[in-house]
Amino acid sequence: MTNIIAHRGYSENFPENTMLAFKKSLENNADGIELDLHLTKDKKVVICHDGSINRTSNGKGRINDKTLSELKKYKFNRKMKKIDYNVEIPTLVEFMEWFSNFDKFVNIEIKAYKYDYMDLVLRTLDIIDNYNMKDRTIISSFNQKALKFIKKIDPFINVGFLTRKNIKNPGEYCRKNNIDYFHPKYKILDKDSIDNCRRNGIEINAWTVNDIFDIDKLVLEGIHGIITNSVETAVLLNKKTYRKDCKLSLNAS
């Protein structure tokens, strides 16, 4: 059965990357949560997609230019202003304090672009270890150098290679580069790529899949995970397809 992974929490109906969105995703039976990390000026690991808070909050500026206490003054509900509770920026510690109590997994994206990501990686790994979450965590990045650095620090942590570009033989590519999961933009995923990943023992988590026909198609393919904003819809389609497959299997026997 395919895993339904809530993209920035249940971001279709609640402010993205807030504790409210995360809690609502589990209330609606998501199997996992995807989130994004940055470092504050005072070196706290916080959850936010952008390096700037302009798009998602009622404040302005870059996360790495502000302390945690400064960031906590803002509401991260700019696109959903009617929802104004439990919408401050969360830290990874706050998230893990809550999430570690559930039998679910988390996909953490490390933002590793123009700035030094090594400090963020080291602090993130420490937090994961402190909450005994290593076996329920995937760390993903578009930056292959960051993934190699993560594996060098901890060979046993699972990593996922994010890409929006077509890659020939992605399963072979991931296996040779010590990458555990292939995380493609769903539009570039085809049957050959899926088969190549399976032959090489690489699981696929595709993003960001919101259309019901695309969700249904990938569930039928039986990939490991679908990263989606539309949590309830994806959960319902996943269960429907699973029940259909079970009936087909019973009839065949």
Side-chain angles (χ1 to χ4, degrees):
M1 196 170 183
T2 297
N3 292 288
I4 304 303
I5 306 166
H7 182 236
R8 309 176 198 170
Y10 193 171
S11 56
E12 182 179 63
N13 289 340
F14 302 94
E16 68 177 65
N17 276 328
T18 61
M19 289 305 300
L20 178 63
F22 299 144
K23 290 176 179 179
K24 290 297 182 181
S25 67
L26 294 199
E27 287 176 17
N28 287 282
N29 300 308
D31 301 295
I33 291 174
E34 186 270 351
L35 54 82
D36 314 271
L37 298 183
H38 290 275
L39 267 186
T40 66
K41 185 178 181 180
D42 52 345
K43 305 300 182 182
K44 303 298 181 183
V45 182
V46 293
I47 301 172
C48 190
H49 181 269
D50 303 350
S52 162
I53 65 173
N54 297 14
R55 179 181 65 86
T56 53
S57 82
N58 60 347
K60 290 185 177 181
R62 297 199 62 79
I63 289 173
N64 59 7
D65 289 332
K66 296 182 183 296
T67 65
L68 178 60
S69 61
E70 289 171 334
L71 289 166
K72 286 288 189 181
K73 295 175 183 178
Y74 303 113
K75 290 185 177 181
F76 282 74
N77 63 344
R78 186 171 181 184
K79 293 187 177 181
M80 300 181 182
K81 292 181 180 178
K82 291 183 179 180
I83 304 173
D84 64 353
Y85 61 96
N86 208 6
V87 291
E88 67 274 7
I89 193 169
T91 65
L92 183 59
V93 168
E94 290 167 344
F95 173 84
M96 288 297 191
E97 189 71 32
W98 164 75
F99 188 74
S100 60
N101 296 299
F102 299 91
D103 187 20
K104 305 283 185 175
F105 70 95
V106 60
N107 173 25
I108 294 173
E109 182 182 346
I110 293 289
K111 297 297 185 181
Y113 299 124
K114 295 180 180 179
Y115 59 85
D116 183 5
Y117 54 81
M118 294 183 183
D119 196 9
L120 175 59
V121 166
L122 293 173
R123 292 173 187 273
T124 299
L125 290 174
D126 281 345
I127 293 168
I128 291 168
D129 282 342
N130 289 342
Y131 285 91
N132 297 312
M133 283 290 295
K134 186 184 296 188
D135 61 339
R136 291 192 283 136
T137 299
I138 303 168
I139 302 181
S140 61
S141 180
F142 286 94
N143 187 332
Q144 192 176 322
K145 289 182 180 180
L147 297 179
K148 287 182 177 179
F149 178 71
I150 292 164
K151 279 291 195 179
K152 182 178 180 181
I153 300 300
D154 189 340
F156 301 105
I157 195 82
N158 285 317
V159 299
F161 178 45
L162 281 162
T163 184
R164 54 176 57 91
K165 298 177 182 178
N166 282 304
I167 295 178
K168 186 177 180 180
N169 300 324
E172 183 178 352
Y173 176 86
C174 289
R175 178 177 55 80
K176 288 182 176 179
N177 287 282
N178 198 24
I179 294 167
D180 307 286
Y181 290 85
F182 182 50
H183 287 193
K185 185 180 178 71
Y186 79 94
K187 289 183 178 180
I188 70 168
L189 194 59
D190 57 24
K191 191 70 167 63
D192 288 341
S193 296
I194 293 171
D195 290 343
N196 186 263
C197 284
R198 285 184 175 141
R199 287 196 299 271
N200 285 277
I202 302 297
E203 298 280 17
I204 299 170
N205 295 317
W207 57 275
T208 303
V209 195
N210 296 321
D211 180 83
I212 59 173
F213 298 105
D214 294 322
I215 293 170
D216 198 44
K217 177 184 175 182
L218 291 174
V219 167
L220 284 169
E221 287 287 354
I223 66 171
H224 179 267
I226 290 172
I227 301 171
T228 180
N229 302 332
S230 306
V231 174
E232 286 182 85
T233 300
V235 168
L236 288 171
L237 284 171
N238 196 28
K239 287 181 178 178
K240 180 181 178 182
T241 303
Y242 178 70
R243 286 197 298 268
K244 190 189 298 181
D245 286 347
C246 287
K247 287 180 181 178
L248 289 172
S249 297
L250 287 170
N251 291 335
S253 61

